[in-house]
Amino acid sequence: MATSGLQHVAAMYAGVVAPPLIVGAAVGLSGTELTFLTGACLFTAGLATFLQTLGIWKIGARLPFVNGVTFAGVAPMTAIVAATKDKSDALPVIFGAVIVAGVLGFLAAPIFCKAIRFFPPVVTGTVITLIGVSLLPVSFGWAQGPNPAAHDYGSATNLTLAGITLVIVLLLRRFTRGFVKQIAVLLGLIAGTVIAIPFGVTDFGPVADAQVVGFPTPFHFGAPQFQLAAILSMCVVMVVSMTESTADMLALGEIVERPANEKTIAAGLRADTLGSALSPLFNGFMCSAFAQNIGLVAMTRIRSRFVVAFGGGFLVLMGLCPMAASLIAVVPRPVLGGAGVVLFGSVAASGIQTLARAGLDKDNNVLIVAVSIAVGIIPITTPDFYHAFPETARIVLDSGISTGCVAAVLLNFVFNHLGRPRSVDAQDVTHPMEAGEEIAVVR
């Protein structure tokens, strides 16, 4: 349980620490304050994971979900920082906006979950596939190195380390069994880190500089401030986060063979939003379910929510012990990238498995999948596609998961719910590009 829980932490650690590092740098925090903010986000991620996995009352999906800081909030939070004249007020303004957005999201959860009937397999399969495809570029970036401006970014050394890690994970999955097979990713990360030492890529500096004990003092950066523009911006992020969390819960429900119903989604959204509302108390940001851990569940087939709760305990401990948190930071980014290919690819594969049951012998469903995936891939292949749109709109448009999900839901409503399809639309087809029976084919 301990090693499997730690494997979940290793899979999502980089995603948790990235937002506080980016926002903290924009605010101009010192190294000590930046470490404090990062530890606070780890601590609140652990608390949010407890809410989601263990649950209390009608709060928590009670699925093997890891919760942490959502990356969707990075752009609007940096925009808030840029718009704040006194940078010392920037974090309090962000915290106030997150609190309000979290409370409103909590109240809206029972209404938001009613949309589950618009998420049949043709929609969920498309969204799950997009989740995996959207995450794969993250692993490719990790494989190249931690800093795009560095001279060794994308070097043969970094890519080789990523490739070695990937091969180790694959070999462990192929030639081992039982417990060793289940923790193949963790073992791959450890082996990759050790192999990287002679290449000078492994940095033990974070361990040497970290303190042994530290607690995220409530409102360390000041009491929350409430500004309308910031609140509206974070409310948009909350809608995006709830949409992605709904898709994640549906994805994980398929993987663990416990389909998420309306009640489960409502409870899961309550955990997300309550965790977000409480997070600023301990200097954390908006929380959401982490999609990359879905890949770990899909690959290891360890479905116990208590394993993930154990991982949440590790997150809390790392938030209380910066030195413990720094141990995960030692893993080189290329090594994470190699393991990420397996994790995120497993998510996409799960989506394809769901689409196989989605009735793709129907013209309508083929069109839904085709257009939705195309729309969802736009931000991945062309990041500046929506550059002319307002910043608030880009919060949604720049997320392929969100745009693909919206497109799939709308198209499914139009083709499968709005009125009755004509007989020609309901005809079965073997392949969308095949000729109809009335067309003579000369051979």
Side-chain angles (χ1 to χ4, degrees), residues 56-283:
I56 53 172
W57 186 54
K58 296 182 179 181
I59 301 170
R62 292 171 174 82
L63 288 171
F65 256 130
V66 176
N67 273 42
V69 181
T70 175
F71 208 87
V74 172
M77 286 192 292
T78 53
I80 292 172
V81 172
T84 305
K85 294 182 179 179
D86 187 354
K87 300 304 178 186
S88 63
D89 292 333
L91 288 176
V93 170
I94 292 173
F95 293 150
V98 171
I99 291 173
V100 174
V103 172
L104 293 178
F106 184 87
L107 297 176
I111 301 173
F112 199 90
C113 72
K114 300 291 183 182
I116 187 174
R117 69 190 185 94
F118 298 110
F119 288 84
V122 67
V123 174
T124 58
T126 301
V127 174
I128 297 168
T129 303
L130 281 173
I131 291 173
V133 173
S134 298
L135 289 171
L136 279 171
V138 176
S139 66
F140 300 152
W142 288 347
Q144 297 180 80
N147 183 9
H151 70 280
D152 63 342
Y153 186 74
S155 65
T157 299
N158 289 344
L159 297 183
T160 300
L161 288 172
I164 291 173
T165 304
L166 173 60
V167 170
I168 291 174
V169 174
L170 293 176
L171 290 176
L172 289 172
R173 291 290 300 176
R174 173 62 181 85
F175 295 107
T176 62
R177 60 178 59 186
F179 179 69
V180 175
K181 185 175 183 178
Q182 291 174 349
I183 63 169
V185 172
L186 180 59
L187 295 177
L189 291 174
I190 295 174
T193 301
V194 173
I195 294 172
I197 294 177
F199 295 93
V201 179
T202 306
D203 180 18
F204 291 96
V207 178
D209 298 334
Q211 296 179 352
V212 177
V213 179
F215 183 79
T217 310
F219 301 129
H220 176 81
F221 296 99
Q225 300 180 23
F226 303 95
Q227 296 184 5
L228 181 60
I231 291 173
L232 292 176
S233 179
M234 297 311 296
C235 282
V236 173
V237 176
M238 179 58 72
V239 173
V240 173
S241 176
M242 293 174 72
T243 301
E244 293 186 356
S245 289
T246 299
D248 290 343
M249 279 183 272
L250 291 169
L252 188 58
E254 291 288 337
I255 292 171
V256 303
E257 299 179 1
R258 186 192 135 191
N261 55 25
E262 188 175 300
K263 180 180 178 181
T264 301
I265 293 176
L269 292 177
R270 288 191 187 99
D272 273 1
T273 53
L274 180 60
S276 297
L278 296 177
S279 184
L281 173 66
F282 298 102
N283 313 285

Side-chain angles (χ1 to χ4, degrees), residues 291-305:
Q292 48 262 58
N293 292 84
I294 298 176
L296 191 58
V297 174
M299 190 189 70
T300 63
R301 307 304 295 176
I302 298 177
R303 306 172 181 180
S304 172
R305 60 192 174 104

Side-chain angles (χ1 to χ4, degrees), residues 19-29 34 37 81:
L21 290 176
I22 296 172
V23 176
V27 175
L29 298 180
L34 200 58
L37 183 64
V81 172

Side-chain angles (χ1 to χ4, degrees), residues 398-433:
D398 284 344
S399 170
I401 299 172
S402 297
T403 54
C405 180
V406 171
V409 170
L410 291 179
L411 289 172
N412 177 66
F413 176 77
V414 171
F415 282 96
N416 294 331
H417 289 272
L418 188 62
R420 293 185 177 182
R422 294 179 299 174
S423 58
V424 67
D425 292 328
Q427 288 178 348
D428 293 351
V429 294
T430 304
H431 190 278
M433 300 304 293

